[in-house]
Amino acid sequence: MKQPNKDWKEVILPNEEEIFKKYSDRFIQLQRKKNAEHGRGRGLHRKQILALTASLEIKKDIPDYAKVGLFAKPNTYSTHIRLSNGGMDRKADTVPDIRGFAIKVLGVNGEGALGGKTNSQDFLLINHSTFSLPDFESFIKLVLALGNGIGSLFSYLISTYGFIGAIKKMGDTVKTMGKPFSGFATESFHSAAPISAGDYAIKVRLQPTKTEAPKKKESWAIDFRDHLKNGDITYDLQIQFFVDDATTPIENPTIEWPESQSPFITVGRLTVSMQDVDLENSSEFAKEINLAKFDPWNALIEHKPLGQIMRARKHYYFLSQKERE
């Protein structure tokens, strides 16, 4: 096991902003196309599964080096939660997809990562511990191809990897999207890319306190409601520290940070208590959450997002949010 290390750095390409802007128009046109099909909505994670309230208790007994930003002192915060499927479409829950768990911690007060003050801290988590591609340009090309259908995806893969390579990459994509999922109450969720923790760099994990074997459900909202009928649903909020460039890279989100070298530390407990579960997302609260901005850059300056994928998200989340206004 290695010790947390402050000697991390971001590597920003000289033409990075040009790369981000290169795909902006295509991304917005695809979002508009999906708006025409489904109504105005997000570019990704369009389908809201549930809108929920929860409380986040920050623990007292955590290491001193972890006591920074949101974790600086014991406290209990109200939170809003948006559970979602990851795609650009509003497909049935039985269709393989990435699953998203977005948390907005309320009642925060501090300097924001985007400048000025912030009164909330967002964590955007997915049911994968890594991203499938190492850089933004590869990632956005895949997103755009996926958004235009299987034919577009396969054409892109052939042009990029050749026919044999395309078959393999298609299999990898299906495997990623079709990862077994046990449900939002029992699955682990990850930041996948790092954020800062003051002078340190960390990844974030939400670890359920109960688990069950993966199984396919017709409705993940109903599954969550059924779990909630049996009592509070709780998760440990955990962080994992950068230790060195080779073991815990900042700029390559395809590499999993090994727990054997950098174990997770529990810094809080998220509790979803009994409440009305709006399966149709028709209540005023559910509509409010569906319209709300959940953004990894809506963060305290101590928890600034790190790495190229996160820097690209600053650009593309802003574009997507403007398109929804």
Side-chain angles (χ1 to χ4, degrees), residues 172-234:
D172 292 343
T173 300
V174 170
K175 184 178 179 181
T176 298
M177 301 292 283
K179 176 190 173 185
F181 184 65
S182 64
F184 287 95
T186 54
E187 194 79 14
S188 298
F189 290 87
H190 309 258
S191 63
I195 65 174
S196 65
D199 294 333
Y200 294 96
I202 61 171
K203 286 188 177 182
V204 179
R205 180 172 74 178
L206 195 64
Q207 187 79 344
T209 57
K210 64 177 180 178
T211 59
E212 62 180 34
K215 59 178 109 173
K216 204 165 191 176
K217 296 286 182 68
E218 294 295 321
S219 167
W220 294 121
I222 291 175
D223 176 70
F224 195 92
R225 180 199 63 186
D226 291 346
H227 279 285
L228 198 55
K229 285 179 178 178
N230 295 322
D232 293 351
I233 298 173
T234 56

Side-chain angles (χ1 to χ4, degrees), residues 25-319:
D25 287 344
R26 289 172 61 189
F27 179 81
I28 290 302
Q29 289 304 315
L30 185 54
Q31 184 171 348
R32 290 175 180 174
K33 175 185 174 183
K34 298 301 180 182
N35 286 348
E37 295 173 9
H38 306 290
R40 192 175 296 274
R42 288 168 166 78
L44 293 168
H45 291 272
R46 180 175 291 265
K47 183 180 178 182
Q48 179 166 296
I49 301 296
L50 281 178
L52 301 160
T53 60
S55 64
L56 175 63
E57 181 184 5
I58 302 301
K59 291 169 60 71
K60 179 180 179 180
D61 54 337
I62 62 177
D64 286 342
Y65 57 81
K67 293 179 179 178
V68 62
L70 187 68
F71 320 125
K73 59 184 179 180
N75 206 345
T76 300
Y77 297 93
S78 296
T79 72
H80 289 168
I81 292 173
R82 183 177 188 266
L83 308 182
S84 64
N85 289 337
M88 288 186 155
D89 296 289
R90 293 179 53 82
K91 295 182 179 179
D93 289 356
T94 52
V95 176
D97 206 345
I98 306 296
R99 316 295 174 175
F101 198 122
I103 305 169
K104 184 178 291 293
V105 184
L106 307 172
V108 172
N109 182 23
E111 297 295 324
L114 291 174
K117 294 280 188 178
T118 184
N119 58 10
S120 59
Q121 165 74 46
D122 292 358
F123 297 108
L124 274 64
L125 312 175
I126 59 173
N127 64 316
H128 289 259
S129 57
T130 60
F131 280 93
S132 58
L133 292 165
D135 62 89
F136 164 74
E137 192 161 24
S138 299
F139 179 74
I140 192 65
K141 284 180 178 179
L142 180 64
V143 167
L144 293 171
L146 273 169
N148 283 303
I150 294 298
S152 172
L153 173 63
F154 200 54
S155 295
Y156 159 68
L157 293 176
I158 289 175
S159 66
T160 305
Y161 303 104
F163 185 79
I164 300 300
I167 296 294
K168 181 181 183 302
K169 288 293 182 181
M170 182 71 84
D172 292 343
T173 300
V174 170
K175 184 178 179 181
T176 298
M177 301 292 283
K179 176 190 173 185
F181 184 65
S182 64
F184 287 95
T186 54
E187 194 79 14
S188 298
F189 290 87
H190 309 258
S191 63
I195 65 174
S196 65
D199 294 333
Y200 294 96
I202 61 171
K203 286 188 177 182
V204 179
R205 180 172 74 178
L206 195 64
Q207 187 79 344
T209 57
K210 64 177 180 178
T211 59
E212 62 180 34
K215 59 178 109 173
K216 204 165 191 176
K217 296 286 182 68
E218 294 295 321
S219 167
W220 294 121
I222 291 175
D223 176 70
F224 195 92
R225 180 199 63 186
D226 291 346
H227 279 285
L228 198 55
K229 285 179 178 178
N230 295 322
D232 293 351
I233 298 173
T234 56
Y235 310 81
D236 286 333
L237 183 67
Q238 302 178 323
I239 58 177
Q240 181 186 31
F241 282 81
F242 169 91
V243 293
D244 60 54
D245 290 327
T247 308
T248 51
I250 297 295
E251 294 290 348
N252 188 347
T254 66
I255 296 176
E256 186 151 10
W257 292 9
E259 289 188 61
S260 60
Q261 299 301 312
S262 178
F264 280 94
I265 297 169
T266 297
V267 293
R269 171 64 62 90
L270 184 73
T271 301
V272 183
S273 297
M274 181 61 69
Q275 58 194 272
D276 291 333
V277 178
D278 180 11
L279 300 177
E280 304 300 324
N281 286 291
S282 58
S283 69
E284 289 305 312
F285 175 69
K287 292 176 183 176
E288 174 190 339
I289 295 303
N290 204 28
L291 290 172
K293 296 175 182 178
F294 288 85
D295 187 332
W297 282 86
N298 180 51
L300 292 163
I301 188 64
E302 294 92 342
H303 301 313
K304 174 186 172 183
L306 303 174
Q308 189 187 73
I309 291 291
M310 286 294 208
R311 295 191 295 273
R313 289 170 89 179
K314 176 168 65 172
H315 180 79
Y316 279 81
Y317 274 58
F318 178 75
L319 288 178

